[in-house]
Amino acid sequence: MGHETDRYMSLQIVIADAGPLIGLARIDSLQLLQQLFGHVYITATIHAEILPQAGLFPDMRTLARTMAEGWIEIADEPHEKRPRLNPGVDIGEASAIDLACHWQEQGKPVLLIMDDRVGRLEAKTAGIPALGTAGVIGLAKEMGLIPDARALLMQLKQAGFYISEKHIDIILRSVGE
C-alpha cells in the first residue's frame, strides 16, 4: 500500500459495490469505510443487492442499520450507460462503474471499492482506481485504525468471503505484518 495511501485518501468520492459492503458487515467492520473516507456512495442497484425486498440474510440488519446512519448514500445513477468490454460485469458493478465514470467526466476524483476481478478490470480500463475489501483492511492498518490486519483478513475468510492466501500475503507484506 505505502505510496498509494495519499492517493486513496485524497479522493473525494468513494463508491462501493455490494461485495465489500457485505464482506465488511460480516466481520462487523463497515465503520472502517466511514473512518477512512467519511462518506460512501452506492447506486440504487447496489442498494437492492444489499437490502433485498424479499428474504433475509445474516448481514442485512447490519447493513440496514449502517444505511440509516446516513454516511452511505444512494446516488442517482446516470442515464447514459457505458458499453461493457466484458459481459461478466454484473449489473451492480456496472452501475458503480457508470456512476464513477460520470463523476470522473465531471472532473471529480473517484475511487471504487470493488472486489470482483472482472469489474475491477473494467474500471481500470475506464481509468477508475479501485480498491478491494482486503485493500480497505490494509489501508485501515496503515492509517492506524486497526492494530492487526491479519486478524480481520482471517476473520473475513472464515466468514466465507473468498480471498486467496496469496492476496492476504501481499496485503500483509504491504502493511509490514
Side-chain angles (χ1 to χ4, degrees), residues 2-65:
H3 64 284
E4 295 288 306
T5 302
D6 291 338
R7 177 177 163 210
Y8 293 133
M9 301 309 287
S10 67
L11 293 167
Q12 296 173 1
I13 297 176
V14 176
I15 303 165
D17 189 29
L21 294 172
I22 292 168
L24 291 169
R26 283 185 186 171
I27 61 170
D28 197 28
S29 296
L30 275 169
Q31 78 283 358
L32 292 178
L33 291 174
Q34 183 183 29
Q35 292 168 338
L36 288 167
F37 307 114
H39 197 84
V40 175
Y41 292 93
I42 62 173
T43 65
T45 303
I46 292 166
H47 184 263
E49 288 180 5
I50 64 171
L51 295 174
Q53 294 296 323
L56 182 66
F57 57 93
D59 311 312
M60 194 170 160
R61 285 187 181 95
T62 302
L63 290 162
R65 190 173 53 251

Side-chain angles (χ1 to χ4, degrees), residues 22 53 58 60 69 86 102 104-105 108 137 140 142 153 157-158 176:
I22 292 168
Q53 294 296 323
M60 194 170 160
E69 291 173 5
N86 189 313
H102 174 75
Q104 185 169 291
E105 288 165 3
K108 299 174 182 173
I137 292 169
E142 199 170 296
L153 291 169
K157 189 170 183 163
Q158 290 167 357

Side-chain angles (χ1 to χ4, degrees), residues 98-113:
D98 288 342
L99 181 60
C101 289
H102 174 75
W103 279 338
Q104 185 169 291
E105 288 165 3
Q106 294 178 1
K108 299 174 182 173
V110 178
L111 172 67
L112 277 176
I113 307 296

Side-chain angles (χ1 to χ4, degrees), residues 44 48 73 96 102-103 129 131 152 154 163:
E73 181 180 339
H102 174 75
W103 279 338
L131 185 65
L152 278 185
M154 291 299 121
I163 181 169

